[in-house]
Every structure is written in structure tokens, then in C-alpha cells.
Amino acid sequence: MTNGQPIPVIIDCDTGVDDALALLFAVRHPGIDLRAVTCVAGNTDVDGVVRNTLTVLERAGAPDVPVARGAERPLIEAPRSARHVHGHDGMGDLGLPAPRRSPADVDAVTLLRREILASPRPVTLVPTAPLTNIALLLRTHPEVTRNIERIVFMGGAAGAGNATPVAEFNVWHDPEAAAVLLTAGVPITMYGLDVFTRVVVPGAEVRRLRASAEPGTRLAGDLLAHRPAHPGSRPDDPAEDAGGLGDAGALCAVADPRGLTTHRLPVEVSLAPGPTRGQTVVDRRPRVGESELHEGVREQPLVEVGLDVDVERYVRLYLTTVERPSV
Ligand code: BDR
Ligand code: CA
């Protein structure tokens, strides 16, 4: 909430098991006013993302939130899905029914522009996917930044990557788009792998959600069970059902910013071909180095980089939110 009013939020996603967890949270949190959802190729192809997104919103009890189809491939790279993580349908192969409605009859960039400019209060934009739609929006309609409060994106890493040793999937999938995002000229928070991987719901809580009679709550449990926190664990291990919140943590950071510790740091995306492509180079040095002394200081965007997270606080926040009945 800001000044007692819910925060207007738009999510750009590639649903995606953990994007689905993020949607369930956003729909049910009383401090979030989810105004639209836009879809982009990432974890699976964009038509699969649209289908999964509509299905989750119906199951969550929010069938009227507008959804639009966006880019079907990155700006320059070929599309490279993550089905090995997210299942053949991109959302855990849970056997969910096809959605009853269709997406909006406008593309994602058009819907983003319309909803951002129509919002009575500045919007918080939350991309949890490759940043192709957002880069296209910023280049096509730069005027939208006047009604964007901030962008909280899941992507990047100050430390180790996942798609490569140094690059996180969403940034690696479309590095040029991520570079456009960083120079948007609005406040940006990076919810990267450094915090993303840490917020894990214990197995006992996941089992409780899965046993719920309420369909949205049960779906949250089934999705979490598809995100094993400890890939090496044995079937009789009590940690077996534990599941990471993933993208949903970025929504927790919107609803409850105090659970995330950020540092304002220069961040640059490596666009060079080769082993660093897609890396978010986060400058954590306490003082300038030889490069700046000899060649001068380069202008770089400053980003609030999430470096620590109150895990218990976000797990509690997630559970209390998804166990609320839909309003
Ligand atoms: C990110 O990539 C996707 O697999 C997840 O949904 C998340 O957005 C993690 O690197
Ligand atoms: Ca995602």
C-alpha cells in the first residue's frame, strides 16, 4: 500500500511455474492492484505463455485482468526455452484445463502503453521474464516513463549465474533488451539470483497448500512442489516438497519492500559475444580503480540491487496471501 491505497502493478511474464506463483500472489495481495499482464517468449513459446497466464488467472479467481500476447522471440537472439525446468507446457505439466477466454485483441506493447498511461497513479512495472516487451515499449512509447513509479525486475545476478556461469536466464535470453531496460530513466530494483534462490517454502507448508480445498491455494502448492529446493534430496527427506518462490519473491519485494536489502550500484549488461554475454556486471567496489583513474569514469545506470532478503518474512507473506480467499 502507498498512502492507504493499493499499488497499481503490471506484470510482464513468461509463465512459467514461478511466474504463476507470482500471479497468484499479485491477485490475492490486498496492497496490489493488478491492472494488466503481458506475455513474452521465455520459459516456453509465447502462445504457451498466454495460455498458462490465462489459466492461472482463472484459477486464482481473477478472470478479468487484461492479458496480451507480446514478443515471440528476443530482439537479436534466437528463442531458447527452459522447458527442462518448467515442463513441456512451460508450467509444470499439471494437467490444468485450457482457459475459457482469449487474450486482449491488442499486442503487449499497446496494452502496456494504454494501461500505464490510464492509471490514476504511477504504475510499478514488474517484469519476471526476458525483457523484450519492455525494451520495445520503451523504444516505441518513451512517454510511458512519466507514469511509471519504478520497475522491479527479476533478472541478473551480482554473483553466479544460472543460464551460464555468470548470466541469469532472463537477461541472457535477451541481453540487448535488458540493456535498454537499465537505461529507462526510472528507478529500477534488480531482484536477481542472489536473493531469488534463497526464498524457499518448507515442505510441510507446501503439503498444507496442496491439501487445500480452495483451487488457487492448491495450485500454489502444486507449483511449489514442482520447484524442488534441494535437487539431490531423497524421497523420504522432509525437505523433499520444499519449493522456491522464484519470481514471486519480486512481487513480495513490491508489497513489502522492507524485506529486501538493496544497494544502489552501477550495473551494466555484457553484450559481447563469448562467455560473459548476458552477465549483469555489478560494480561493488568501494572506490574507483585503475580503469577509472587512467580512462575516466564512465556513465552507468544506478540500480537498487537486492543483495539480502528476509527469507522467513517473505515465506510468511506469501503463505498468508495465497491462503486468502480471492476477493
Ligand atoms: C528466471 O528464469 C525463469 O526460468 C524463471 O521463471 C525466472 O524468471 C530465473 O533465471
Ligand atoms: Ca519468469
Side-chain angles (χ1 to χ4, degrees):
M1 297 266 182
T2 44
N3 304 327
Q5 296 200 294
I7 302 164
V9 166
I10 297 178
I11 297 178
D12 183 71
C13 57
D14 60 342
T15 320
V17 177
D18 55 331
D19 304 79
L21 289 167
L23 292 169
L24 285 167
F25 177 86
V27 165
R28 295 205 167 169
H29 194 284
I32 290 179
D33 170 19
L34 183 63
R35 300 184 70 86
V37 180
T38 49
C39 301
V40 66
N43 290 325
T44 190
D45 60 277
V46 69
D47 291 317
V49 172
V50 170
R51 183 197 61 230
N52 292 341
T53 301
L54 291 168
T55 296
V56 172
L57 290 174
E58 278 180 14
R59 187 57 72 99
D64 300 330
V65 175
V67 172
R69 181 185 190 276
E72 55 186 40
R73 54 164 293 178
L75 298 180
I76 290 174
E77 293 284 357
R80 296 165 289 187
S81 84
R83 288 204 181 94
H84 58 290
V85 178
H86 294 263
H88 185 70
D89 70 356
M91 206 175 60
D93 296 325
L94 300 176
L96 295 171
R100 282 190 292 269
R101 70 168 164 138
S102 309
D105 56 9
V106 294
D107 63 274
V109 169
T110 306
L111 184 71
L112 282 162
R113 176 183 182 274
R114 189 175 87 193
E115 292 296 328
I116 290 169
L117 294 181
S119 173
R121 283 169 299 116
V123 165
T124 296
L125 191 55
V126 190
T128 59
L131 296 143
T132 323
N133 286 345
I134 306 303
L136 292 168
L137 170 74
L138 292 168
R139 286 293 184 259
T140 319
H141 305 293
E143 72 278 10
V144 293
T145 57
R146 70 166 188 258
N147 209 29
I148 294 179
E149 178 78 30
R150 64 182 184 130
I151 299 177
V152 179
F153 80 103
M154 188 288 131
N162 56 3
T164 80
V166 296
E168 180 281 329
F169 176 82
N170 291 339
V171 175
W172 169 83
H173 200 261
D174 196 341
E176 281 72 21
V180 172
L181 167 98
L182 292 184
T183 53
V186 298
I188 295 179
T189 298
M190 175 171 130
Y191 188 88
L193 289 179
D194 316 278
V195 284
F196 170 96
T197 50
R198 290 188 42 208
V199 190
V200 175
V201 180
E205 315 291 355
V206 175
R207 287 192 286 278
R208 194 183 71 240
L209 296 181
R210 296 188 84 180
S212 169
E214 201 285 317
T217 307
R218 199 164 59 243
L219 176 58
D222 290 343
L223 291 163
L224 282 164
H226 192 84
R227 293 185 51 79
H230 309 285
S233 56
R234 302 181 318 270
D236 59 346
D237 186 331
E240 176 70 6
D241 290 336
L245 284 190
D247 288 341
L251 271 300
C252 292
V254 171
D256 179 15
R258 281 195 291 192
L260 183 71
T261 305
T262 64
H263 292 247
R264 196 168 159 76
L265 296 167
V267 180
E268 188 171 20
V269 179
S270 169
L271 300 177
T276 66
R277 183 159 165 80
Q279 178 180 15
T280 43
V281 180
V282 179
D283 189 352
R284 300 169 76 176
R285 295 173 299 171
R287 61 186 71 84
V288 296
E290 283 68 20
S291 145
E292 289 78 13
L293 290 174
H294 292 290
E295 284 141 34
V297 178
R298 286 181 310 117
E299 267 224 10
Q300 282 186 66
L302 292 172
V303 173
E304 293 290 340
V305 180
L307 292 177
D308 198 8
V309 60
D310 187 335
V311 173
E312 222 186 289
R313 180 171 171 143
Y314 278 2
V315 168
R316 211 172 39 240
L317 173 65
Y318 192 80
L319 293 173
T320 52
T321 303
V322 297
E323 289 185 285
R324 288 166 64 94
S326 56
V327 281

